[in-house]
Amino acid sequence: MTPDPPPADAPLARGLGFWQASAVNITQIVGAGVFATVPLILGVLPGPAGLLAWLVAGLLILCDGMVWAELGAAMPSAGGSFHFLREAFGRTKWGRLMGFLFVWQLLISGPLEIGSGLVAAAQFSTAVSPEFKAFDEQHTLKWELEIAADKKVGVIFGPSRLVGLTLGVLVVALLYRRVTTLGHISMVFLVAVMAIIAWVLLEGAIRFDPAVAFAVPANPVPPEQFPSALGAGMALAIYSYLGYYNVCYLGGEVRNPARTIPRAILVSALVVVVLYPLIQLAITGVIPPDEAAKSTDNLTADFMNRVRGPWAATLVTVCLVGSCFASVFSGTLGYSRVPYAAAKEGEFFGWFAAVHPKHRIPHRSLLLIGGLALVWNFFSLQAVIDALIATRILEQFVAQVFAVIVIRRAKQPRPLPWRMWLFPLPCLVALLGWVFVYATTGRLFIILGAGTLLIGAVVFFIRAKVRREWPFRSGK
């Protein structure tokens, strides 16, 4: 069957202003992130040391946000990093390889990130009522595969996972409309997720006990293990921060992108870098950190149950599931533009370059990313996070740091509507931070990240050989 040719002259609609762009970013960032990872961070960095993960990762995110802001303002196109890397390293030579490798890893890491929100929603949903939790435990099947001495991958089927699957399908259905409508929906989600954060912070501030929050942990991290523990904690914090750049994938749908994109990125990053440590303090000022580390299913519900009772635990659980829904919505919206952008440039299957004639959205690309994300709904959250961070660092975050430097030093420099402050210091901080986190993910995930890149390069060169493209034919 021959696929329909994509309508090359159907542009995307520029319908996102500053507030909508910021809402798209923040709703993806908040989602499950902080509420799911606080106990995980306390598990690797017990007690007050857990705050270091948020603060050091926050510095990295702010510096990396400036990298994204400079590139996004200079090249506001659908697909974000795909265009950044192609243009920076030369769209006819090495840039083709870099762009291909980005799309290659994003088909893994993008759905992983979206799927993690579905996993978290499934975990949170068990706290809606004791009856549903018991029903879920009774009817859940779980298989665990030990892939390293301290690493296991869980595959889980049960009623709560069907909740996550249903949310994923609803997200794809909701995204099947014009981007101006999606921008308004994102604003509604933004108000909702900020209300959840405000509620947690208010309850925590009223009852905050410094003696509880800053108590010496029963099992502190030994000094010789602290660097690896900090790296593990930072990886979890970074996972929670991911999404500050989401608007870059929608660059072709942003109004006045040279001004809107940098502002949306930096405001989004700054908001969550301030709020997330405060959320951990609010919770651990009531529930001792050692106890909080054990509440991996729904710490926020346990917190609300303690301060307000069962009704508050149920209500906040419903809100958290809604927050996960908002995050999955924003993530799918952004990542669905990448296969579309690559297909338009001939670096992915041309069938995915189609734009819906009525809604003016890349609907086929949306269905691809949404469908892949549903698969990860059935895996354990920790495994999804580890795989996500490992596969993305080298080909996206580290590569973009070098992309900024290459563009700045080009013989014919590209116009840069927005320039990062204190260049090249933010680039250096971001580079060192990403390399440190990658090096501390563990041998298995270091191999996963490098292996994904290597296999992608082999596929690229085989493809180029078959198609007689660079580097196997001069001038291409």
Side-chain angles (χ1 to χ4, degrees):
M1 179 178 178
T2 303
D4 297 332
D9 58 345
L12 299 174
R14 289 193 177 273
L16 300 176
F18 167 72
W19 288 107
Q20 290 85 5
S22 299
V24 166
N25 282 355
I26 294 175
T27 51
Q28 183 181 357
I29 300 170
V30 176
V34 61
F35 301 109
T37 54
V38 165
L40 300 178
I41 289 175
L42 291 172
V44 296
L45 280 174
L51 292 172
L52 283 177
W54 294 111
L55 298 176
V56 179
L59 175 62
L60 168 57
I61 292 309
L62 291 174
C63 291
D64 191 63
M66 286 191 263
V67 171
W68 281 90
E70 184 164 315
L71 293 172
M75 293 169 276
S77 302
S81 299
F82 171 75
H83 286 291
F84 303 162
L85 298 175
R86 274 175 61 92
E87 297 297 329
F89 295 102
R91 61 185 296 115
T92 61
K93 294 185 178 181
W94 290 104
R96 296 191 64 185
L97 171 63
M98 298 299 288
F100 179 86
L101 290 178
F102 166 70
V103 176
W104 175 265
Q105 65 81 26
L106 188 108
L107 289 176
I108 301 172
S109 68
L112 273 170
E113 185 176 344
I114 298 166
S116 69
L118 301 177
V119 174
Q123 289 185 184
F124 291 154
S125 68
T126 59
V128 168
S129 71
E131 292 78 14
F132 179 69
K133 184 174 183 178
F135 178 79
D136 182 67
E137 291 175 349
Q138 184 179 358
H139 294 87
T140 292
L141 300 176
K142 182 176 182 180
W143 296 270
E144 285 190 339
L145 174 64
E146 187 169 337
I147 54 178
D150 58 342
K151 297 286 184 181
K152 293 182 179 180
V153 173
V155 181
I156 306 165
F157 293 91
S160 63
R161 296 303 168 123
L162 291 179
V163 172
L165 181 67
T166 302
L167 291 179
V169 173
L170 288 175
V171 162
V172 174
L174 191 59
L175 285 170
Y176 222 84
R177 60 201 71 238
R178 293 179 68 90
V179 75
T180 47
T181 304
L182 301 179
H184 298 320
I185 295 172
S186 295
M187 287 297 298
V188 174
F189 287 157
L190 174 62
V191 173
V193 297
M194 294 306 289
I196 299 170
I197 290 176
W199 187 19
V200 172
L201 291 177
L202 179 61
E203 298 288 0
I206 294 172
R207 299 165 180 81
F208 182 74
D209 185 347
V212 174
F214 297 104
V216 177
N219 297 299
V221 179
E224 66 275 10
Q225 297 178 13
F226 189 80
S228 60
L230 178 61
M234 285 180 63
L236 291 165
I238 288 167
Y239 160 74
S240 300
Y241 287 137
L242 289 180
Y244 55 94
Y245 45 74
N246 194 27
V247 67
C248 288
Y249 298 122
L250 301 161
E253 298 162 270
V254 175
R255 298 193 301 268
N256 190 11
R259 177 177 172 82
T260 299
I261 290 176
R263 292 169 65 206
I265 291 172
L266 297 178
V267 168
S268 302
L270 184 60
V271 166
V272 294
V273 165
V274 171
L275 289 179
Y276 280 12
L278 293 178
I279 290 173
Q280 177 168 316
L281 281 173
I283 293 174
T284 56
V286 175
I287 301 177
D290 287 345
E291 185 180 338
K294 300 174 184 177
S295 182
T296 55
D297 281 344
N298 195 337
L299 174 60
T300 313
D302 292 340
F303 168 78
M304 283 298 179
N305 186 57
R306 184 166 300 195
V307 301
R308 288 292 181 184
W311 71 267
T314 299
L315 178 58
V316 82
T317 295
V318 173
C319 292
L320 289 177
V321 172
S323 179
C324 292
F325 182 86
S327 177
V328 171
F329 173 91
S330 295
T332 309
L333 172 62
Y335 292 132
S336 65
R337 272 52 179 174
V338 176
Y340 158 78
K344 281 192 67 178
E345 296 290 339
E347 298 297 339
F348 197 60
F349 301 106
W351 191 75
F352 291 101
V355 174
H356 194 281
K358 178 181 178 182
H359 302 306
R360 291 171 64 187
I361 60 170
H363 56 301
R364 294 173 182 171
S365 183
L366 167 64
L367 293 174
L368 172 66
I369 294 297
L372 291 173
L374 296 178
V375 174
W376 297 110
N377 170 65
F378 298 101
F379 286 77
S380 55
L381 182 60
Q382 183 69 62
V384 170
I385 293 174
D386 289 338
L388 162 63
I389 298 299
T391 54
R392 181 167 294 183
I393 287 178
L394 294 180
E395 179 48 31
Q396 184 170 26
F397 297 122
V398 169
Q400 286 186 180
V401 171
F402 287 106
V404 169
I405 296 172
V406 168
I407 289 173
R408 289 271 192 138
R409 294 185 175 180
K411 293 181 179 178
Q412 295 181 335
R414 174 184 295 271
L416 297 174
W418 188 90
R419 290 173 174 263
M420 72 175 66
W421 307 305
L422 303 176
F423 176 85
L425 183 59
C427 288
L428 180 61
V429 172
L431 178 61
L432 293 176
W434 288 123
V435 171
F436 173 73
V437 172
Y438 180 71
T440 55
T441 55
R443 180 181 302 177
L444 172 69
F445 292 101
I446 289 174
I447 293 173
L448 175 64
T452 301
L453 223 58
L454 179 61
I455 295 172
V458 170
V459 171
F460 172 84
F461 286 118
I462 292 174
R463 178 175 177 269
K465 178 71 172 178
V466 171
R467 297 173 60 170
R468 292 180 166 274
E469 296 174 339
W470 179 88
F472 300 101
R473 189 169 70 178
S474 61
K476 295 291 183 182

